[in-house]
Amino acid sequence: MASGGAVGERSSSPHRRLPDFLQSVNLKYVKLGYHYLITHLLTLLLLPLIAVVLLEAIQTDPDDVRQLWLHFQYNLVSVVSLSALLVFATTVYLLTRPRSVFLVDYSCYVPPPELKAPFSEFMAHSKVCGFDDAALEFQRKILERSGLGEETYVPEAMHVIPPQPSMANARAEAEQVMFGALDNLFASTGVNPKDIGILVVNCSLFNPTPSLSAMIINKYKLRGNIKSYNLGGMGCSAGVISVDLARELLQVHRATYAVVVSTENITQNWYFGNRKAMLIPNCLFRVGGAAVLLSNRASDKRRAKYELVHTVRTHRGADDRAFRCVFQEQDETGKTGVSLSKDLMAIAGEALKINITTLGPLVLPISEQLLFFATLVLKKVFKLKIKPYIPDFKLAFEHFCIHAGGRAVIDELESNLQLEPIHVEASRMTLHRFGNTSSSSIWYELAYIEAKGRIRKGHRIWQIAFGSGFKCNSAVWKSLRNVKASVHNPWKDCIDRYPVVTVDRVLASTN
């Protein structure tokens, strides 16, 4: 009745009111129109100039063209000098420009079914491992709200009662994961292991002697002059660091293949104490690893999936609070584990802010950069109390691979970057199916997007990961073709079941 009265009042008014602009026009489309206008502004301004030039060219007298040709004939020195200068400039450009780095293919390891750790089995094993009642209840609650599903994997040594975290079992886990991923990579690409010129391996918590990279060289009998690197202690963002290191090496070494192996080892890093801050990794981290084949050969562009566009690394290690927020130490009983600070999310947010401040100008359209700059000027120069403008990274990327470090990490980035549920779907489903596989999680996420058939030629992918230190690292890829899932895609047997509604989302909606 109230609405009917309002309508009656408007119809009886002698002057018709203008419609409410905010209600009649979807502001999303206004912003989209602004984005297209600014993006193509240069083209729109040049079109009239091009039209004038063409019109003048059509009206030019043929005698004038003949006179210009004669002028060039009688000024041979000027013509030769100009030609030489153009050839020199072109040569310098070709020699100094960065070499393109292509991602030929990659492979994610899928453990055998017998290594799955459903919640009931996880808790049953925990009960016989000496945890007190408070620690058991804490782990149960973390699992319930973690976003993990019932099919994640723990190493074989953790399935034994009592667990056997020996050096031999840790080596066995490392070999199982790394060799499993590499076997599939070499099979799918057809690359001879002896053609690999660069090898970069990252594993944060397990660094035996000989190194993990030496284990791979010995297994596949790689050539003696290979450039091999073994990165340790660099946390869950080390996968991007390894890619960045490989990219730098590929700028120096011509016509070379580089292999990046990212993994983590759980066998010797399971925490058996009762300190809550050190129990969280037990509930989140699971077995996983990935092997990536990169190339700087121009001939590989035709078969490669992606081209590496940017890598941006942010390190907050100079700040004591950031340095200690993910810290391996012993508890009061002498048991070793990794402690997670309550400040972790705040520190991650600070690192993210710095990282995207560097990344933004490299990837965002000029329309977003202008809005960000205008807001900054109004806030800093004119001292206006306005909220800082958050750039719309959905205009820069079609796909997002956010490190599946935990539910809170994904929630925070979805909120802070104003992403849609589909943009974080790969991260949530990777966390559900495989758990936190550390530095390799971003590759399981990319594999999910491929398995869904969503990547088209020209699409841009943003991989972003956080790690101890504290670090925030980004890699930007551009798709070179419509990408289909590889034969060894880790989602090939279960992609039809995803996406699923995870337990933590159900609990969040009911609270």
Side-chain angles (χ1 to χ4, degrees):
M1 292 298 292
S3 60
V7 171
E9 289 176 6
R10 285 197 296 269
S11 60
S12 62
S13 174
H15 300 288
R16 185 176 180 181
R17 296 180 180 177
L18 291 173
D20 187 340
F21 180 80
L22 293 178
Q23 293 181 1
S24 62
V25 179
N26 191 327
L27 289 180
K28 178 179 72 174
Y29 296 106
V30 173
K31 185 176 179 181
L32 191 61
Y34 161 77
H35 162 66
Y36 282 123
L37 174 63
I38 297 299
T39 301
H40 301 290
L41 183 62
L42 183 60
T43 303
L44 294 173
L45 293 175
L46 285 176
L47 282 176
L49 180 61
I50 294 172
V52 171
V53 171
L54 289 176
L55 186 61
E56 289 294 327
I58 292 172
Q59 295 177 350
T60 301
D61 192 324
D63 289 337
D64 294 337
V65 177
R66 188 169 60 85
Q67 290 296 326
L68 182 63
W69 172 249
L70 290 174
H71 174 74
F72 280 124
Q73 282 185 320
Y74 288 113
N75 289 272
L76 186 60
V77 175
S78 299
V79 173
V80 171
S81 300
L82 180 60
S83 300
L85 181 62
L86 288 174
V87 170
F88 176 76
T90 303
T91 302
V92 170
Y93 169 74
L94 292 175
L95 291 176
T96 58
R97 68 173 180 171
R99 291 191 176 92
S100 297
V101 174
F102 305 110
L103 192 160
V104 180
D105 204 356
Y106 64 96
S107 174
C108 299
Y109 175 68
V110 179
E114 58 268 23
L115 296 187
K116 289 182 179 179
F119 291 175
S120 58
E121 183 177 329
F122 180 95
M123 292 306 302
H125 277 66
S126 295
K127 288 180 180 179
V128 298
C129 288
F131 296 108
D132 61 27
D133 291 341
L136 289 171
E137 179 61 16
F138 178 76
Q139 290 181 84
R140 186 191 66 78
K141 289 181 178 179
I142 292 294
L143 280 175
E144 189 178 68
R145 298 179 177 273
S146 64
L148 273 69
E150 297 279 353
E151 297 183 304
T152 60
Y153 305 90
V154 298
E156 186 173 353
M158 296 298 104
H159 283 274
V160 180
I161 300 177
Q164 298 178 354
S166 65
M167 173 63 77
N169 286 334
R171 282 185 179 275
E173 179 193 347
E175 291 175 353
Q176 184 181 34
V177 174
M178 295 191 304
F179 299 165
L182 286 166
D183 286 347
N184 288 339
L185 181 67
F186 291 139
S188 63
T189 60
V191 171
N192 187 332
K194 291 187 179 297
D195 291 333
I196 305 302
I198 298 167
L199 174 64
V200 183
V201 181
N202 68 267
C203 181
S204 189
L205 294 174
F206 181 60
N207 294 283
T209 299
S211 66
L212 299 179
S213 58
M215 291 164 61
I216 293 173
I217 292 170
N218 177 259
K219 165 69 176 180
Y220 296 97
K221 309 305 176 188
L222 303 185
R223 63 197 199 193
N225 63 345
I226 191 170
K227 306 296 185 293
S228 65
Y229 299 84
N230 202 97
L231 307 183
M234 304 193 79
C236 299
S237 67
V240 176
I241 296 174
S242 295
V243 168
D244 184 54
L245 174 58
R247 179 185 65 83
E248 293 288 349
L249 293 168
L250 287 170
Q251 299 305 308
V252 179
H253 303 280
R254 296 174 178 271
T256 305
Y257 284 120
V259 166
V260 171
V261 178
S262 297
T263 187
E264 192 50 84
N265 193 284
I266 296 176
T267 297
Q268 282 198 319
N269 295 288
W270 200 267
Y271 175 61
F272 293 97
N274 294 305
R275 188 192 293 182
K276 292 182 179 180
M278 300 171 74
L279 284 168
I280 297 174
N282 286 8
C283 302
L284 298 180
F285 282 88
R286 295 293 183 265
V287 173
V292 183
L293 179 65
L294 302 175
S295 171
N296 59 7
R297 303 183 182 192
S299 58
D300 281 321
K301 184 175 182 179
R302 290 174 294 179
R303 66 166 179 159
K305 289 183 173 182
Y306 309 98
E307 181 178 356
L308 182 60
V309 183
H310 302 292
T311 54
V312 175
R313 294 167 55 178
T314 300
H315 205 307
R316 298 280 293 155
D319 180 85
D320 291 341
R321 191 170 62 104
F323 176 74
R324 295 191 62 88
C325 73
V326 181
F327 203 81
Q328 187 179 27
E329 59 184 346
Q330 291 181 323
D331 65 10
E332 53 279 356
T333 64
K335 293 183 172 66
T336 302
V338 176
S339 177
L340 303 183
S341 167
K342 293 180 179 179
D343 297 328
L344 178 59
M345 292 311 303
I347 293 167
E350 294 168 3
L352 173 65
K353 181 179 178 180
I354 297 171
N355 190 266
I356 64 176
T357 300
T358 305
L359 180 67
L362 300 175
V363 299
L364 286 170
I366 189 66
S367 57
E368 286 299 292
Q369 296 189 46
L370 286 175
L371 285 174
F372 178 79
F373 179 74
T375 306
L376 188 65
V377 170
L378 291 173
K379 188 177 178 66
K380 299 294 184 181
V381 178
F382 296 97
K383 307 298 182 182
L384 296 181
K385 294 182 179 180
I386 57 175
K387 292 182 179 180
Y389 179 72
I390 300 176
D392 188 356
F393 280 92
K394 298 188 292 295
L395 296 174
F397 306 108
E398 284 75 26
H399 308 286
F400 298 79
C401 297
I402 300 167
H403 166 54
R407 176 184 58 81
V409 174
I410 301 171
D411 288 347
E412 284 296 318
L413 265 73
E414 179 183 12
S415 174
N416 291 338
L417 297 178
Q418 299 177 352
L419 303 179
E420 302 295 332
I422 194 170
H423 294 130
V424 296
E425 181 182 307
S427 300
R428 292 195 190 282
M429 296 307 105
T430 295
L431 183 64
H432 180 270
R433 176 64 182 85
F434 295 101
N436 181 349
T437 60
S438 190
S439 56
S440 64
S441 68
I442 53 178
W443 298 108
Y444 288 90
E445 293 161 15
L446 185 57
Y448 178 90
I449 302 171
E450 290 182 4
K452 285 293 184 181
R454 295 173 181 170
I455 297 181
R456 298 288 179 266
K457 183 177 180 180
H459 278 189
R460 297 152 298 178
I461 300 98
W462 181 14
Q463 292 180 321
I464 183 166
F466 302 89
S468 58
F470 188 84
K471 297 179 287 292
C472 175
N473 299 318
S474 294
V476 177
W477 304 88
K478 181 179 179 180
S479 174
L480 298 175
R481 54 186 168 90
N482 296 344
V483 179
K484 297 181 180 179
S486 302
V487 176
H488 302 291
N489 188 288
W491 298 89
K492 65 178 182 179
D493 296 328
C494 62
I495 192 61
D496 293 337
R497 295 192 279 119
Y498 286 89
V500 299
V501 179
T502 58
V503 174
D504 65 294
R505 304 297 286 175
V506 174
L507 291 173
S509 64
T510 57
N511 289 339

